[in-house]
Amino acid sequence: MRVGIPRALLYYRYGPFWERFLAGLGVEPVVTRRTDKELLQLGLQHVSSEVCLPIKIIAGHIADLKGRVDAVFLPRMVWLEDELYACPKMIGIVDIARMMLGDGTRLIAPSIKRNFLWPHFRAGVEMCGSPLRAARSLARARSLLAGPPVALRLEPGEKRIALIGHFYNIEDDYIGQPIISAFRKQGYRLVTKDELPESVLRGRQGFAKSIRWVFERELYNAFRFLVGSVDGVCVLVSMGCGPDSLIAEFMKEEAGRRGVPFLQLVLDEHTGTAGLVTRIEAFLELSQRRQQLTRAA
Ligand code: SF4
């Protein structure tokens, strides 16, 4: 049995775990290729132009799997611990996938509501027919859930920018790479929330407590943690994403109060690399001038 996994959205957090879990069940995991223009165009044919870029991208990956695999594995993340929810579009992508795949390709979509492993176990039994094998495979794969150990190291004198954006945007080559290389070409080190421990990202101090979207709370907490130790903040906002634009406003206000240069990049399918690079270069020039003025004062 060949089971497809779209390389998008939550894949960038749970991908290695899913691949090992499926392989342990005796099924063949088929992961889609890295996002490219063709996959994005495919996605645009299946979802409304109103949805955010990551949903358009995952739609392309799902469409690419249709007919190539026996089933598509796409867990529906509803909420994690502490009633922290995924956004409605992320929850709803499973229904979009169901419509896109039709009757020809099965959709296996365990629903995650606080308990992460139990729905995976049940999906595993559905795929391999053996509770024992599903439990063993889950036990072997779960070590990959922890991810690599994180340790933020800030070197004195380095030029640093906090890049605040969803992991599924930053790690997707098509969206994140042009932005990352534009900063690096100018000699800047990028700090992302991936370098911060979960205790920081899930913290509930102050405004963070009222943020109920799990991934937005991570972004805001990362911003709060880093804003005092960087030369500027760049926030990636997906066009059509309500949570992103709301949280970005709070970050912008706070960065402004602290005098930290702030750049908000809005991403959609029309965002050209050249335009992004120009904006990043202008932002860095401005922030350098501001630092020189501050030092001279
Ligand atoms: S949080 Fe925003 S960018 Fe992410 S899936 Fe939801 S609407 Fe899209």
Side-chain angles (χ1 to χ4, degrees):
M1 180 180 179
R2 284 161 57 85
V3 179
I5 306 177
R7 191 191 292 269
L9 280 184
L10 296 175
Y11 174 83
Y12 288 106
R13 178 153 297 184
Y14 301 114
F17 163 72
W18 286 339
E19 283 182 58
R20 187 179 290 180
F21 173 52
L22 263 57
L25 298 172
V27 303
E28 183 191 343
V30 179
V31 182
T32 46
R33 64 182 188 271
R34 297 188 171 280
T35 307
D36 54 26
K37 203 171 179 178
E38 201 186 318
L39 281 178
L40 172 60
Q41 290 304 324
L42 197 55
L44 293 174
Q45 293 165 22
H46 290 89
V47 290
S48 146
S49 59
E50 304 295 311
V51 302
C52 63
L53 185 58
I55 294 291
K56 288 170 182 161
I57 285 179
I58 196 171
H61 285 264
I62 294 166
D64 184 60
L65 287 168
K66 187 176 176 177
R68 283 207 298 131
V69 291
D70 303 296
V72 169
F73 185 67
L74 185 65
R76 188 200 295 268
M77 176 74 76
V78 183
W79 56 286
L80 289 172
E81 84 280 7
D82 191 24
E83 304 215 358
L84 279 174
Y85 293 85
C87 82
K89 286 175 190 142
M90 200 178 276
I91 297 172
I93 185 61
V94 172
D95 303 300
I96 296 174
R98 212 178 290 284
M99 280 192 299
M100 287 172 64
L101 295 172
D103 295 331
T105 308
R106 232 167 98 196
L107 181 67
I108 300 169
S111 205
I112 313 296
K113 294 175 184 167
R114 180 183 292 208
N115 191 321
F116 186 82
L117 294 176
W118 177 246
H120 279 83
F121 168 74
R122 288 178 49 171
V125 176
E126 188 187 331
M127 281 183 267
C128 75
S130 159
L132 186 62
R133 187 165 194 175
R136 280 196 182 139
S137 179
L138 202 53
R140 273 197 293 267
R142 67 184 295 184
S143 63
L144 294 172
L145 283 174
V150 289
L152 178 66
R153 290 186 55 185
L154 303 177
E155 302 295 338
E158 70 183 358
K159 297 192 290 180
R160 233 179 270 133
I161 295 290
L163 182 62
I164 307 291
H166 292 297
F167 54 91
Y168 45 82
N169 281 335
I170 293 178
E171 290 180 43
D172 188 306
D173 287 354
Y174 193 74
I175 307 177
Q177 269 317 312
I179 297 167
I180 293 170
S181 7
F183 278 108
R184 291 201 176 137
K185 257 190 205 152
Q186 301 293 322
Y188 278 81
R189 181 191 157 201
L190 290 172
V191 193
T192 69
K193 70 179 179 57
D194 289 343
E195 291 171 67
L196 304 178
E198 206 168 290
S199 54
V200 170
L201 299 177
R202 295 281 166 82
R204 295 204 260 164
Q205 295 80 17
F207 174 62
K209 191 177 177 188
S210 57
I211 304 175
R212 285 304 194 179
W213 300 296
V214 58
F215 301 125
E216 299 297 335
R217 188 187 280 186
E218 289 182 0
L219 293 189
Y220 182 73
N221 279 332
F223 163 80
R224 285 294 306 271
F225 191 85
L226 295 170
V227 67
S229 46
V230 290
D231 300 298
V233 174
C234 173
V235 175
L236 307 183
V237 171
S238 309
M239 174 76 100
C241 172
D244 271 7
S245 30
L246 184 72
I247 303 298
E249 276 310 304
F250 282 94
M251 294 192 230
K252 187 176 175 184
E253 202 184 296
E254 193 160 337
R257 255 188 280 125
R258 290 166 170 251
V260 177
F262 184 91
L263 173 67
Q264 179 173 318
L265 294 176
V266 181
L267 309 166
D268 71 5
E269 64 273 26
H270 306 297
T271 312
T273 308
L276 282 178
V277 172
T278 312
R279 288 200 59 200
I280 289 169
E281 286 173 355
F283 164 70
L284 292 177
E285 206 179 307
L286 204 75
S287 69
Q288 265 171 2
R289 269 197 225 150
R290 193 177 290 190
Q291 279 164 20
Q292 281 159 3
L293 284 175
T294 317
R295 267 186 237 123

